[in-house]
Amino acid sequence: MKKTVKHPAFQIGVAAILGIAFGLVVGEWAANLKFIGDMFIRLIQMSIVPLVMTSVIVATGSMSGSGMGKMAFRTFKWMIGFSVVAAIVAWGISVVIQPGAGIDFTGAVDPALQDAAGEATGWQDTLLNFITTNIFAAMSTAMMVPIIIFSLLFGVALNAYIAKTGNRLVLDLFDSIQQVVLTMIRFVMLIAPIGVFCLLANLAGTVGFAVVASALKYLGSTLLGVLIVFALFVAVVWLRTGLNPAKLPSKLADQTLIAITTTSSAVTFPTVLRSAVEKVGVSQNVANFTLSVGLTMGSYGAVLNYMIVVMFLAQSGGMTLDFGTIVLGMALAILLNMGTITVPGGFPVVAMFLATSLGLPFEAVGLLIAVDWFAGIFRTFLNVNGDTFVAMLVANASNEIDRDVYDGKKSVTTDSVALDELQAQFEKADAAD
């Protein structure tokens, strides 16, 4: 019992329940606690850019032979495949449940949101913006796709430099920076229960739960879609890896609780990275690369939710979408998933972008924004756990899952894994000599 009480997942779960209860009791006064929760979120967010950069650079820089190309192909294959599946599942659920039909929405749309949506660019510019002209500007604004592309190119160039000179100094530097950032995040996570308490107290005190009733079908559709895609993920992982799926809940518990209480894949990323290595047994290299890319391009819950938003807005305005518009909506949902980092607060602009691009009515967006925190719980749950599943599938293909770790027969930490892999590299070099 004492061990359970000290477990971070238990503490965060208790803090979430107490925060909601406190907010409902004290009402709007709980808004005074919001700044504490925001400080916690910012402490995590400030670490994301250096962590993603170093993770991708270390993963690509330490690759040998054709490993990098194969890993990248497998990663993108699974991510794009499951993104398409999520979009199709969302469309099917929306057709059956009709979440937007008969919705009674009120309230005007924030003009700033409409202006932002009006400035949305076409798909060519979206792809062009994946490449930055100033990496420091991209880092300062957390533009994750340009950062990842730069890190990939830097890692590939570093890999070529090491192969030519044998000098691993730069790679070791980035590896050390990654470990320091991870340690820093571990310190920040000590105050996670306090941050979660304040975030949920503010939400319960200022918004309450009455608003959920008016969008129950929308939230229910999102939840059903998440459960279906999650079940498909588990089934595929089980069939491909042969690992016991009954052990997954305990391995995903920490990251799931952080995901559903912060509704941010970015904030949850450090925990996902640590759990993949220390609990699931994915190798450090696969985890670094796959999970870093997945942070931006593996948001299956977001794809599913965005497609439901498209159908919801169309149905709320009494519109019937033709096949071409539905396919375009799916493509936009996937592109938006690839082009944005999943942090709280980005949904309003995404919803307005979708409405503007597809010619859908704006009026119902206000209702979706009002309940977005709850929808965010569902999509973030699928985002973070889906990334872990993809890492497992990629690692399994190259025999880089430590099954003893997964089965609980062996314990490792991120640091010790890195040292083990470095030692293995030295042994290979000795054998070659």
Side-chain angles (χ1 to χ4, degrees):
M1 179 65 183
K2 187 176 180 181
K3 185 177 180 180
T4 301
V5 171
K6 290 184 177 181
H7 197 283
F10 177 83
Q11 294 177 356
I12 292 172
V14 171
I17 295 171
L18 293 177
I20 293 173
F22 182 81
L24 292 174
V25 170
V26 304
E28 294 187 359
W29 184 91
N32 293 312
L33 300 178
K34 181 177 182 294
F35 82 98
I36 300 177
D38 290 342
M39 287 176 64
F40 165 67
I41 294 293
R42 290 190 176 200
L43 285 169
I44 296 293
Q45 286 177 324
M46 72 179 182
S47 308
I48 297 303
V49 169
L51 182 57
V52 168
M53 287 193 72
T54 54
S55 296
V56 174
I57 289 172
V58 170
T60 54
S62 57
M63 279 291 179
S64 60
S66 60
M68 178 60 211
K70 289 181 179 178
M71 182 186 296
F73 172 76
R74 290 164 181 158
T75 299
F76 290 119
K77 175 186 72 174
W78 287 112
M79 286 182 178
I80 293 173
F82 271 103
S83 293
V84 172
V85 168
I88 294 173
V89 168
W91 170 77
I93 288 174
S94 299
V95 169
V96 173
I97 297 180
Q98 296 280 309
I103 290 293
D104 180 20
F105 49 80
T106 57
V109 176
D110 185 346
L113 296 178
Q114 192 159 351
D115 292 342
E119 297 169 0
T121 56
W123 66 268
Q124 298 97 331
D125 289 328
T126 299
L127 293 176
L128 183 63
N129 289 334
F130 285 177
I131 302 175
T132 182
T133 58
N134 187 335
I135 187 59
F136 297 103
M139 291 169 64
S140 68
T141 54
M143 297 171 62
M144 296 310 297
V145 171
I147 289 172
I148 287 177
I149 290 177
F150 172 86
S151 301
L152 282 170
L153 291 174
F154 189 97
V156 170
L158 179 59
N159 188 291
Y161 172 78
I162 294 173
K164 181 179 179 180
T165 66
N167 186 344
R168 297 176 53 89
L169 183 62
V170 176
L171 178 63
D172 292 341
L173 172 63
F174 279 106
D175 185 44
S176 298
I177 293 174
Q178 182 196 33
Q179 300 307 324
V180 171
V181 174
L182 284 170
T183 302
M184 182 175 70
I185 292 171
R186 286 192 180 100
F187 293 156
V188 174
M189 290 307 298
L190 294 176
I191 63 169
I194 298 173
V196 167
F197 175 90
C198 294
L199 286 171
L200 297 192
N202 166 67
L203 180 78
T206 57
V207 178
F209 293 99
V211 70
V212 178
S214 62
L216 190 59
K217 288 207 300 186
Y218 164 70
L219 293 172
S221 298
T222 304
L223 175 59
L224 179 60
V226 164
L227 294 177
I228 291 173
V229 176
F230 183 83
L232 289 173
F233 256 125
V234 172
V236 171
V237 168
W238 177 37
L239 292 173
R240 296 294 293 235
T241 68
L243 296 170
N244 183 2
K247 295 183 178 182
L248 283 172
S250 63
K251 303 186 180 298
L252 304 178
D254 288 356
Q255 63 194 52
T256 295
L257 276 172
I258 295 172
I260 65 177
T261 52
T262 64
T263 67
S264 171
S265 297
V267 172
T268 314
F269 175 73
T271 304
V272 176
L273 184 61
R274 187 175 68 250
S275 295
V277 175
E278 298 180 3
K279 295 185 178 182
V280 178
V282 175
S283 73
Q284 185 81 55
N285 273 342
V286 171
N288 282 349
F289 178 82
T290 304
L291 296 177
S292 296
V293 173
L295 176 62
T296 298
M297 306 179 76
S299 303
Y300 321 97
V303 172
L304 182 140
N305 185 225
Y306 295 162
M307 191 60 204
I308 290 177
V309 166
V310 168
M311 300 299 292
F312 179 93
L313 293 177
Q315 292 165 2
S316 70
M319 296 177 59
T320 300
L321 302 181
D322 58 34
F323 178 76
T325 305
I326 291 171
V327 172
L328 178 58
M330 291 181 180
L332 286 175
I334 294 172
L335 269 178
L336 285 170
N337 155 50
M338 293 171 62
T340 57
I341 186 169
T342 45
V343 295
F347 176 81
V349 174
V350 168
M352 293 300 296
F353 172 83
L354 289 170
T356 301
S357 301
L358 299 173
L360 305 176
F362 292 109
E363 291 82 359
V365 170
L367 177 61
L368 299 182
I369 293 172
V371 299
D372 183 59
W373 185 85
F374 303 98
I377 292 176
F378 306 147
R379 62 175 178 257
T380 309
F381 165 81
L382 185 58
N383 289 347
V384 299
N385 290 318
D387 286 344
T388 298
F389 292 144
V390 168
M392 294 174 69
L393 291 167
V394 172
N396 180 71
S398 54
N399 197 27
E400 293 189 65
I401 289 185
D402 192 325
R403 294 172 182 269
D404 287 338
V405 172
Y406 185 87
D407 291 332
K409 299 176 182 177
K410 176 182 175 183
S411 297
V412 298
T413 64
T414 354
D415 294 335
S416 69
V417 169
L419 290 173
D420 288 345
E421 292 181 351
L422 188 59
Q423 180 62 39
Q425 291 172 356
F426 287 146
E427 290 174 356
K428 281 185 179 180
D430 290 340
D433 291 340

